[in-house]
Amino acid sequence: DIQMTQSPSTLSASVGDRVSITCRASQSISGWLAWYQQKPGEAPKLLIYKASTLESGVPSRFTGSGSGTEFTLTISRLQPDDFATYYCQQYHSFSFTFGPGTKVDIK
Amino acid sequence: QVQLVQSGAEVKKPGASVKVSCKASGYTFTTKYIHWLRQAPGQGLEWMGIINPLGGSTSYAQNLQGRVTMTSDTSTTTVYMELSSLRFDDTAVYYCARDGTSIGSYPDYWGQGTLVTVSS
């Protein structure tokens, strides 16, 4: 099974900051990675798929990068609506695993 | 518009079974896999399995093999997830989610979630 890790587990930041979250896979997953945002009491929302493709309607301040085993989600200028938990998910070879999540909270 | 509407909250005793439904609309039901996922209170997302509504083929998470069954009904565009031999640690919000491609990849549209509480 492919294991996913994320760092940091919690990130404290201010509105306007540039923040980055790292996701690592236990083996190469090529570019088969998605990123989600989840707010309390809500279902997750797809932000990015195939490592760097922005889902329709998602603001351009969200960018994804990486391939193989290391990936990054960057929010260029943090907005009040962006305080949430972020998850990565791999989907290589018909297996599916989520990372443990990164909570972005207000500094 | 794509919608996935799940059945309501359930309270079950340990050892019982629960069956959660997920009615899909707004797209051609048989062209997209459906994932099931769950999230225990305060915890992360756990992938449970996937079903191809066309034909009903399934793939389940190893830790749930033997306890989970996913089925589909094309006449009502509904998929079902049944979990048996419930334990206290099965308490979670259960989500269905449509696959974003036709080959099994990332969930793009999600249901609203169904809270299943296992309590004696």
Side-chain angles (χ1 to χ4, degrees):
Chain A
D1 284 7
I2 299 174
Q3 308 301 318
M4 306 299 292
T5 59
Q6 287 182 235
S7 60
S9 55
T10 305
L11 192 161
S12 296
S14 302
V15 172
D17 284 353
R18 177 185 178 92
V19 301
S20 291
I21 299 167
T22 298
C23 175
R24 291 185 174 87
S26 59
Q27 65 188 71
S28 177
I29 56 170
S30 186
W32 306 120
L33 186 99
W35 288 98
Y36 299 86
Q37 176 194 68
Q38 187 180 33
K39 297 179 182 177
E42 297 183 6
K45 173 188 173 184
L46 175 67
L47 299 175
I48 287 167
Y49 58 93
K50 210 173 177 185
S52 61
T53 303
L54 203 65
E55 172 72 344
S56 175
V58 174
S60 59
R61 63 181 179 272
F62 290 92
T63 57
S65 63
S67 66
T69 61
E70 188 160 327
F71 301 85
T72 303
L73 173 70
T74 300
I75 310 172
S76 59
R77 286 176 302 278
L78 205 62
Q79 298 300 299
D81 192 48
D82 301 337
F83 292 99
T85 300
Y86 294 84
Y87 295 94
C88 60
Q89 178 234 335
Q90 69 82 20
Y91 50 98
H92 180 262
S93 296
F94 212 74
S95 78
F96 311 92
T97 321
F98 285 81
T102 295
K103 184 177 181 181
V104 177
D105 63 18
I106 300 173
K107 185 186 288 183
Chain B
Q1 71 285 19
V2 176
Q3 277 195 303
L4 299 171
V5 179
Q6 299 182 222
S7 49
E10 303 262 13
V11 179
K12 297 291 183 180
K13 293 192 183 304
S17 297
V18 68
K19 192 170 187 177
V20 179
S21 67
C22 170
K23 181 168 176 60
S25 61
Y27 70 99
T28 303
F29 179 66
T30 52
T31 61
K32 304 281 191 179
Y33 290 84
I34 295 287
H35 299 261
W36 284 93
L37 310 99
R38 68 180 180 178
Q39 188 168 37
Q43 303 301 308
L45 296 163
E46 178 186 8
W47 182 81
M48 299 178 67
I50 190 170
I51 182 167
N52 182 349
L54 181 65
S57 62
T58 56
S59 178
Y60 301 137
Q62 204 162 10
N63 66 319
L64 294 172
Q65 289 271 4
R67 288 209 299 139
V68 67
T69 304
M70 297 175 188
T71 55
S72 68
D73 183 343
T74 56
S75 68
T76 60
T77 66
T78 302
V79 294
Y80 300 89
M81 186 285 299
E82 184 169 21
L83 188 63
S84 63
S85 302
L86 287 169
R87 310 188 296 234
F88 293 117
D89 63 358
D90 290 318
T91 294
V93 175
Y94 288 74
Y95 293 101
C96 63
R98 190 190 78 159
D99 191 73
T101 68
S102 299
I103 58 170
S105 57
Y106 51 88
D108 59 357
Y109 288 89
W110 295 64
Q112 83 275 21
T114 296
L115 176 62
V116 174
T117 303
V118 182
S119 173
S120 54

